[in-house]
Amino acid sequence: MDIKGFKKLITKSVVKNSIIGGGIFLFGAFIFWLVISGADPEMTTGIMVGCIILASICVLIGFGISFSCLKDYYKVKRGNHPVVNALINEDKNHLVWVYQHITQVKNGGANHQIWTFDKNGEKFILNLKAKRIDEAMIFLSKSFPNAVFGYSDEIRVQMEQRFGRKL
């Protein structure tokens, strides 16, 4: 893998997250539509308020996820992405902590991510297919040899002390 391949991984990650954010946003919009259109004429005021609150939460979260993804996408396209810039400038000290984060789903699915923290404590998350994780981790370990790779409670405590906040 090279910088171009890494940029491609970021773009794919952004697309995946945008689809998730868009789905959450559309779910919230659908709930709004159901309430406003009067699809259930027997809906009580309390249920309407609850549905509007749920719809508002979904719309806001979905919009936030999509906006964040688009921001990352345009950072890569415009050459302003901090990790990509560190790779281009060969700043081997830019990332200080990198680890794989897996979120398990009850029915057997999993979401694979690489979480990276830079020297300022900024977090960048890369969503990838499981088969791409190892390749990306090897690329990052070669590009940032001074970073700590892996996760443990001891490393987390050490990084929290370094950044002066909870991670």
Side-chain angles (χ1 to χ4, degrees):
M1 178 181 292
D2 58 0
I3 295 173
K4 187 176 178 180
F6 189 73
K7 284 181 176 181
K8 196 173 190 176
L9 283 180
I10 293 173
T11 303
K12 286 182 180 183
S13 175
V14 166
V15 169
K16 180 180 176 183
N17 288 340
S18 295
I19 291 170
I20 293 168
I24 294 170
F25 179 86
L26 290 175
F27 177 72
F30 178 70
I31 293 172
F32 265 130
W33 176 80
L34 285 176
V35 172
I36 292 171
S37 71
D40 184 2
E42 298 175 10
M43 190 180 296
T44 64
T45 304
I47 292 175
M48 284 178 124
V49 169
C51 286
I52 289 173
I53 290 170
L54 174 65
S56 300
I57 291 169
C58 289
V59 166
L60 289 173
I61 289 173
F63 178 77
I65 291 171
S66 297
F67 181 76
S68 174
C69 292
L70 289 173
K71 196 170 72 173
D72 281 343
Y73 175 78
Y74 283 112
K75 280 182 180 179
V76 171
K77 289 297 179 188
R78 292 181 180 149
N80 296 330
H81 195 279
V83 177
V84 174
N85 286 344
L87 289 167
I88 291 169
N89 297 327
E90 297 182 8
D91 180 3
K92 299 190 180 301
N93 295 316
H94 181 74
L95 293 182
V96 295
W97 187 23
V98 180
Y99 65 92
Q100 180 181 357
H101 180 80
I102 301 172
T103 306
Q104 295 287 338
V105 181
K106 268 189 177 180
N107 296 330
N111 186 29
H112 296 266
Q113 301 174 329
I114 295 177
W115 287 24
T116 67
F117 292 85
D118 69 11
K119 55 190 168 192
N120 300 320
E122 304 260 341
K123 177 172 54 172
F124 173 71
I125 299 173
L126 187 61
N127 280 310
L128 300 173
K129 292 181 180 179
K131 64 183 181 181
R132 303 300 303 243
I133 291 284
D134 289 337
E135 180 183 7
M137 290 293 278
I138 290 169
F139 174 73
L140 290 172
S141 68
K142 289 179 181 175
S143 301
F144 302 101
N146 300 328
V148 175
F149 283 80
Y151 181 90
S152 70
D153 287 334
E154 293 83 24
I155 296 171
R156 181 185 48 77
V157 169
Q158 177 187 6
M159 293 299 164
E160 286 176 350
Q161 290 173 349
R162 178 180 182 152
F163 299 131
R165 63 182 170 90
K166 249 184 131 75
L167 301 176

